Amino acid sequence: MKIDYKVLDDKIILNNVESFNPEHIFECGQAFRWYREDDGSYTTIAYKKILNVLLEDENTVILNNTNEEDFKNIWIDYFDLKRDYSIIKNKLKGDTTMEKAIDYGYGIRILNQEPFETMISFIISANNQIPRIRKSIEKISENYGEYLGEYKGKNHYSFPNPSELAKIKPEELREIARVGFRDKRIYDTANIVNNREFNIEEAKNMDSIELRKALMELPGIGPKVADCIMLFSFKRSETFPVDVWIKRVMEELYLHEETKQKEIGIKAREIFGEYAGFAQQYLFYYGRENSIGKK
DNA sequence: TGCCAGGGGTTCA
DNA sequence: TGAACCCCTGGC
């Protein structure tokens, strides 16, 4: 798929983009490190860069604070820009529910995030709340990441790499980042990744069954967290993470009865097939923003 | 004001 | 299968 863009100063201007809305992308639950600015744009930290994303108009997106080299090396893949989302949408629009969800979150794209950061972030997410998860990740970055600079009046830091985080003792993580009982899980997983017992580069080449199994052997990673990591940082778009929100949405809109988590994952793959991961994001955003299934 | 439930699940018995 | 779990916020 051809990408229509031009470079202007420190900006990349994306023209004629379909399916790209920063609000949908960042607030559909896949990422934690973004900040909504006063002008409605989003500033995000990834791959040791500070990037600002503005929806200029219906068909134009501006990537601020970057350059063509980073665009080609990082952001095209990060934003999944080579993928034609109209194909996915057409494939998924088999029922009125999904049609509504897609119309609502039409600008969602699944980001390709950094595996290690994604692993730790979703370990933190267990039995936790989004504002607190974000705070913990921010504290970890501030204290153990690299200073990247200031943007729009705020200092930004990279997420620490495995060798940096592996050094931090559980007690300190708990104290500084307020991660609670997840402290040891983070410490242990960071060390396992750091000493290559779990090798991220090798993991990229595993088939999905093997990868899921390997991830679930890590402390703090169960079925749901493993699925999130696979979908958001290992490009496994057939994966359908089942959290409490998706459980409610699926039960209310598709299954019409109480169903076990594992069963929901299986049914979802039957219904949505190879694009189950995209379906999950559309449903999550639609369901959560509209409080579907909430008692 | 103060108490209590509940949260992007995982782990351990 | 079920209880426990840090911590924090929102609701009463």
Side-chain angles (χ1 to χ4, degrees):
Chain A
M1 203 180 159
K2 196 165 176 331
I3 303 166
D4 180 0
Y5 74 95
K6 63 178 181 233
V7 186
L8 184 68
D9 302 327
D10 65 342
K11 305 174 201 309
I12 301 290
I13 298 162
L14 296 169
N15 298 303
N16 304 311
V17 280
E18 46 94 39
S19 305
F20 193 130
N21 183 315
E23 182 176 356
H24 298 173
I25 291 171
F26 292 113
E27 302 202 27
C28 70
Q30 59 182 325
F32 299 103
R33 297 206 65 201
W34 48 264
Y35 309 91
R36 195 187 164 98
E37 307 286 3
D38 294 337
D39 62 0
S41 67
Y42 285 76
T43 299
T44 189
I45 315 301
Y47 297 88
K48 294 191 190 288
K49 307 284 177 187
I50 306 168
L51 181 76
N52 176 265
V53 189
L54 174 70
L55 185 65
E56 173 85 344
D57 61 52
E58 195 84 350
N59 302 306
T60 314
V61 171
I62 299 180
L63 306 182
N64 283 301
N65 199 40
T66 186
N67 56 58
E68 188 168 21
E69 191 188 344
D70 286 349
F71 177 64
K72 286 182 174 167
N73 293 334
I74 303 172
W75 306 125
I76 288 180
D77 188 56
Y78 181 74
F79 286 110
D80 202 20
L81 288 177
K82 287 191 176 159
R83 192 190 294 277
D84 185 349
Y85 274 69
S86 62
I87 293 174
I88 296 167
K89 291 176 177 175
N90 287 332
K91 202 84 173 208
L92 286 176
K93 277 190 174 176
D95 59 85
T96 54
T97 299
M98 185 52 70
E99 219 162 288
K100 270 191 227 162
I102 291 175
D103 286 344
Y104 188 79
Y106 63 89
I108 288 175
R109 310 184 75 86
I110 295 191
L111 298 170
N112 287 304
Q113 304 184 66
E114 296 168 275
F116 180 63
E117 175 178 338
T118 307
M119 290 164 77
I120 302 299
S121 297
F122 281 93
I123 287 174
I124 294 173
S125 78
N127 190 231
N128 210 340
Q129 298 165 145
I130 291 170
R132 239 192 95 203
I133 300 166
R134 293 171 52 114
K135 230 168 258 174
S136 290
I137 295 169
E138 187 162 329
K139 285 288 175 201
I140 288 174
S141 304
E142 262 175 41
N143 283 279
Y144 312 115
E146 190 183 312
Y147 178 63
L148 299 176
E150 192 204 306
Y151 189 79
K152 288 189 190 288
K154 186 170 165 40
N155 287 322
H156 293 289
Y157 303 81
S158 67
F159 191 83
N161 60 34
S163 69
E164 290 161 340
L165 195 56
K167 283 184 262 182
I168 315 305
K169 295 279 179 287
E171 311 80 65
E172 188 179 329
L173 283 171
R174 183 178 288 231
E175 175 71 25
I176 301 272
R178 317 303 291 160
V179 293
F181 60 84
R182 307 164 193 83
D183 57 352
K184 195 167 166 9
R185 299 174 183 178
I186 296 169
Y187 176 80
D188 289 340
T189 292
N191 276 278
I192 291 169
V193 173
N194 185 41
N195 66 28
R196 309 287 195 279
E197 262 176 83
F198 180 95
N199 187 317
I200 288 175
E201 290 312 309
E202 282 175 14
K204 288 179 183 172
N205 298 318
M206 291 178 182
D207 66 65
S208 292
I209 303 209
E210 198 184 358
L211 174 59
R212 190 166 196 259
K213 189 162 165 280
L215 284 169
M216 284 179 60
E217 281 170 10
L218 299 173
I221 302 183
K224 189 269 178 182
V225 170
D227 285 345
C228 286
I229 295 166
M230 290 174 57
L231 181 58
F232 303 139
S233 65
F234 283 95
K235 307 187 185 207
R236 310 304 164 113
S237 47
E238 76 283 8
T239 314
F240 192 92
V242 182
D243 59 44
V244 289
W245 281 101
I246 280 295
K247 185 172 186 301
R248 288 181 197 141
V249 171
M250 286 297 288
E251 284 170 348
E252 176 148 332
L253 302 179
Y254 282 91
L255 307 170
H256 311 296
E257 61 179 339
E258 182 140 5
T259 313
K260 289 191 177 135
Q261 304 232 160
K262 191 172 177 184
E263 195 64 23
I264 292 176
I266 294 167
K267 297 261 191 215
R269 272 184 288 278
E270 281 173 19
I271 300 170
F272 307 120
E274 61 177 318
Y275 296 133
F278 296 96
Q280 197 268 7
Q281 288 306 96
Y282 290 123
L283 288 174
F284 181 88
Y285 186 65
Y286 177 65
R288 201 163 70 99
E289 299 286 314
N290 297 292
S291 296
I292 288 173
K294 194 159 169 76
K295 294 155 273 187

